[in-house]
Amino acid sequence: MVEAAYKSTGAISVRNVRKEFTDTKGERVVALDNVNVDIYPGEFICLIGPSGCGKSTFLRLIAGLITPTEGEIFLDGEKITKPGHERGLVFQDPTLFPWLNIYDNIAFGLKVRHIYKERKKEVREFIRLVKLEGFEKALPHQLSGGMQQRVGLARALVNNPKVLLLDEPFGALDAFTRMNMQDELLRIWKERGTTMIMVTHDVDEAVYLSDRIFVMTPRPAKIETIIPVDIGRNKKYGRKRDSADFLNLRSKILRVLNFTGKEIQPEYNI
Amino acid sequence: MEINKAASKTRDFKLKGLNILSALKGKLAFDFRTVLPVTSVLIAIITDVFIPNHKNLKHPELMHYRYFLYISLFAAVLFTVLSLFIKKIRDRYGYRGYFLTGVYIFLTFLNIITAKLLLLPQIYFPSIARIFEVFFDDTKLLLTCIGSSFMLLVKGIFIGFCLGMICGIAIGWSKRCNYWIFPIIRILGPIPSSTWTPLALVIFPNAKSAAVFLIAFGVWFQITVLTCSGIKSVNKAYFEVASTLGARDRHNLFKIALPAAAPTIFMGFFNATCSSFVALMAAEMIGCKSGLGWYVNWQKQMLAYANVYAGLIIIAVFCYVLVTLQFRIRDKLLSWQEGIVKW
């Protein structure tokens, strides 16, 4: 199941996690309930489900941006209490720092950690990896959406995180760019062996990319099932999109989502 | 055949000729707007030379205005000629053509109603020549005044800016500071700084330091409010991304919050500069013995209105230069927001 165990680190354990929020009326809302799950080092996980099922909450809990109301989350046995560079985060909106050029955006993590001098070379390396040579001096707003997202990826990856958290990173891209980015992400994943946890609305994307798919449902917000993707990867490390296995798995997931009795609301942003 | 050859030859010739012409055309071009200022300056000169001054005009011997027009004519002709050859000058000068024309028409109009026809009381509305004369007569005093005003302004803005930044950051960043300081600013801030004059004169040992206080006060308020609001309105996602990249609190402040808030802070700085001019003039009129505000006020009391106007012109140029300087600095520092924010 774990195909890319290049690293022995990057394991996430989630134990009895419950997260409540207080809404504007002052009432408690359960965003995530009773989550118990293990993610192995170097694994590619997709979280899928309709809106309001706690996907992003789950991701933000792992990132340490919010803390669970109950339960604990561990990274390689160490409890997560606050954000850290070993858990990189990429949003749907690339949120590049508009006042820094592409190079400085990517170098940001190394600079604030005071390891820029030693690892300067890696900035160039990642610029090459995401195919943005020649754009080092450009400002974020001068780049297309796909390029900005690649900068966002490189900026998170240059820190060499154990876990990369992706919150619908390709949601705002057109179908063609999205497919390219998926392949690029897989290439980087294979190369670096980073544990990937990705939130998506797109069943196809989940089947194409992941080792396991966590299907989540709202009310109560929880992980409904975990579906292993037992389809061989092609030479781009993805799956053949029109194979029978792919389509079967796809309809299986759609059935799981429907099984809960909730309408599936497609949220493609194409 | 023969005819054809000949025809093609002439065509070649013609083409060559056309090429040269078009090459010249690319270099040489004429924009009628570049002639307009010359015309208007000429009109101004003709008016000044051929219409006699009113017989009751005081100091009809002053030629400053006419010399100014001669220099203007020289400059206008020079620019018109240059703009035949240089595209950049042509475009810019051409663009300003109507405006410059308007300026000289206005001067001519002023000249007519003051020196030529004496339609207005000359004690309050002196001739242009007399206003220009002040620049030459009073050069030394005016320069001292500019220097003195400039120093007051720089000190006031510097102190106000530093304090404003500190307060703004404190309020925008820390909840506790927000709790304690923000209400004070809400109460003290909106009071126009000139209202503090009586208190400032008592507290500070001399008029100069009181003036610096008044200027600094206005600047401090503007900078505080806009720095604080700039920091508070920074997109939270920047902090989230930064902290997952390993940034700590101080990085979040200095590397995220401040740069992200820089456009707002600059807006505050711009407002502060403008209000500091007001404070400067008010402050100089209360007890300083030099400075542009003092000069204007003093000349007014002497009923030397030509000097008042000269002082006003200098104040206008002074403020214009400072504001322009500030815009230049902003464009340099905040070039990243080009295409994001328009002013």
Side-chain angles (χ1 to χ4, degrees), chain B residues 50-84:
Chain B
F50 291 102
I51 302 179
N53 286 328
H54 193 278
K55 62 179 185 331
N56 289 339
L57 182 74
K58 285 175 192 156
H59 309 293
E61 74 285 353
L62 292 175
M63 299 298 274
H64 296 85
Y65 175 57
R66 195 168 296 170
Y67 293 144
F68 167 75
L69 289 179
Y70 290 152
I71 295 166
S72 302
L73 182 67
F74 176 74
V77 171
L78 184 71
F79 274 114
T80 307
V81 173
L82 281 178
S83 63
L84 284 175

Side-chain angles (χ1 to χ4, degrees), chain B residues 231-264:
Chain B
I231 287 178
K232 278 183 179 167
S233 58
V234 174
N235 185 354
K236 296 285 167 292
Y238 290 145
F239 296 125
E240 294 186 340
V241 167
S243 48
T244 61
L245 290 170
R248 293 167 191 285
D249 264 5
R250 83 194 128 93
H251 296 127
N252 270 339
L253 174 58
F254 289 108
K255 298 216 160 190
I256 305 294
L258 283 184
T264 327

Side-chain angles (χ1 to χ4, degrees), chain A residues 139-153:
Chain A
L139 287 166
H141 72 87
Q142 296 165 322
L143 265 54
S144 71
M147 288 159 102
Q148 288 191 19
Q149 199 52 272
R150 294 212 294 268
V151 178
L153 261 179

